[in-house]
Each structure stands twice: as structure tokens, then as C-alpha cells.
Amino acid sequence: VGSRSAPGIRTEPQLSTQPSASRRKTPLTIGRGRHRGRWAIALLLAALVALAMLWDWNWFKPPLEYVVEKKTRRSFAIHGDLDVDLGWNPRVVLNDMRLGNTSWARTQDMISAERAAFTVNLRKFIAGRLVMPRVELFAPRIDLETAPGNDNNWQLATQPAEKDEPEPRKGLPEIGRLRIDRGVIAFSDPASNTDLEVHLSTQETGDADGLQAKARGRLRTVDFTAEATGDSILSLADLD
């Protein structure tokens, strides 16, 4: 005899608490999920390794050159490699860099260097300060020149900046140690008949860098030569 509910009493269907066969996780499905996770991690690691092997900092040379040219209104080129060693004090190396001169100057480049390397304190840079713990310049050359009308070639960015350009960071960078190898600073002032070359080099002596300078040329129609040794350029720059 089939069971019937009493009149006026409604019965609810009984729900099974046992998982259905389609929802049960068998060892096979669990194993497949683990294998998929392992494959995803392996593919991610392989992609990172491939990126590290193919990564080339020279990809950033064109945008860097564009930014410098836009700021200085001079030609700028890195003919060698651009390299960066990452870290809290990342080290940037520019090989064979050249900043162009004015159209009336005697030399094609105002600033050039066989290699320029510097480190940047990343924490302080994020806080708004440009601190370079170490700067190294190999065979740098700076050609300074004047022209009639009180004009000179070291005035950069004479054109007004665009309205949408961000404000540049104020103040000169703070440099911890400065190393110069075979540096040359040339100065020419035809109005005073002055034409000088100063050869600079530094030597590391403990925690400081001694400076060696040799100058030669013509100073107001008089032949001029001089040699000097002393503290680093940074120490001289701190003098009032």
C-alpha cells in the first residue's frame, strides 16, 4: 500500500546530503588540477627566463635621447650601449654619449664621454631628491665657447617649455664621489684672445678622490701653463 500524507499536511521532498557522482572530486580530477598549476608555474618561469635573456636596455635609447633633446634643444646621442644594473642604488652606464653644440661653435659636440656611469639612490629619488652616490666619467670632454654679443654655448633650453610639461626637479644632484679619467675642459673666448685646455684626473685615496689638473694654452695673448693637485672637485665646489 502506497504511503499517503494525512489530509491538510504537506510533505517536503527529502534532499540528499550525499554529493552527486558528477560533483565528487576523484583522485584523477585532483591530480589534473595539480598538474595544470605546475604547468602554469613552469610556463611563467620559462617566460621570465626568456625575457631576461632577450632583454636589452638599448631599447630605451631612442626615448632617452628624445627626452634630452627636448629638454636641452640640442642633439643628443648614445652611440654605444646603454646598460642598467638594478637595485636600490641602480647603476646606469652610457657608452659613447655626445651632446651637440650650437651652430656657430667650432666643435660639433659640446659634451662627450667615452663612458659615463652613475648610481642613483632610488629611495631618495622617489622622495624627490636626486642623489648620486658615485659618478664615473671616462675620457669626458667639455668645450665651452663664447661669441660676440655676450653669447655662449653652455646656455641650454633657451626655448620656452610647453604648458603641459611637468616642472623639472629643482636643485643640482647631490654627488657622493666623482671619478674622472682623462678629462678635458676647453674654453675659448675670441674677444679676449683666450684659448685654454685643462686636463683633469682623479685618484682614489681612501674615502676621498684627489684631483690632478694640468692647464695649457693662451690667456689674454699670454702663453699659459699650470699644474695643480688637491682635493676633489666636489670639495672645491663646496667652498663659499
Side-chain angles (χ1 to χ4, degrees):
V1 178
S3 62
R4 294 182 182 179
S5 59
I9 298 178
R10 183 179 179 183
T11 60
E12 297 292 337
Q14 298 294 324
L15 298 178
S16 175
T17 58
Q18 297 297 326
S20 62
S22 60
R23 295 182 180 179
R24 293 176 183 172
K25 292 184 177 180
T26 64
L28 181 59
T29 57
I30 295 176
R32 289 177 179 176
R34 291 178 179 175
H35 284 305
R36 290 175 182 175
R38 292 173 182 173
W39 275 109
I41 295 174
L43 290 176
L44 178 60
L45 292 177
L48 293 176
V49 171
L51 180 61
M53 294 178 62
L54 298 176
W55 185 269
D56 190 350
W57 286 103
N58 289 320
W59 297 339
F60 295 89
K61 284 170 52 175
L64 177 60
E65 292 169 346
Y66 171 79
V67 170
V68 175
E69 289 180 351
K70 189 175 183 180
K71 294 294 183 181
T72 62
R73 273 66 179 180
R74 299 283 183 87
S75 62
F76 178 73
I78 305 172
H79 296 289
D81 289 332
L82 169 64
D83 192 22
V84 178
D85 295 329
L86 297 178
W88 282 115
N89 288 331
R91 184 172 185 264
V92 182
V93 181
L94 310 175
N95 290 283
D96 193 7
M97 54 158 286
R98 298 177 182 273
L99 180 67
N101 219 332
T102 59
S103 59
W104 50 263
R106 298 181 304 174
T107 59
Q108 182 178 358
D109 302 317
M110 188 185 78
I111 299 176
S112 62
E114 181 180 294
R115 183 165 79 253
F118 57 89
T119 57
V120 177
N121 189 310
L122 191 58
R123 292 187 179 94
K124 295 182 179 180
F125 182 79
I126 295 174
R129 293 172 55 196
L130 180 55
V131 179
M132 298 179 177
R134 187 177 182 88
V135 176
E136 298 174 315
L137 302 175
F138 298 88
R141 182 179 178 90
I142 302 177
D143 283 275
L144 306 177
E145 188 175 351
T146 63
N150 295 326
D151 198 4
N152 59 68
N153 70 332
W154 58 84
Q155 290 181 344
L156 303 175
T158 56
Q159 300 180 13
E162 298 178 0
K163 294 182 179 180
D164 58 346
E165 289 185 352
E167 291 292 331
R169 294 177 181 265
K170 297 181 180 180
L172 296 175
E174 302 176 30
I175 299 176
R177 300 189 68 170
L178 174 63
R179 178 189 177 191
I180 301 176
D181 180 35
R182 296 169 289 127
V184 177
I185 299 178
F187 175 72
S188 176
D189 181 22
S192 64
N193 198 14
T194 298
D195 198 351
L196 294 174
E197 271 194 4
V198 181
H199 295 254
L200 301 171
S201 292
T202 57
Q203 289 186 344
E204 295 187 8
T205 55
D207 295 333
D209 297 306
L211 174 66
Q212 292 183 339
K214 296 181 180 180
R216 64 184 180 185
R218 186 175 61 254
L219 180 61
R220 296 185 180 275
T221 70
V222 178
D223 291 339
F224 177 83
T225 58
E227 294 187 12
T229 59
D231 295 333
S232 68
I233 296 177
L234 299 179
S235 299
L236 298 176
D238 291 336
L239 298 177
D240 294 332

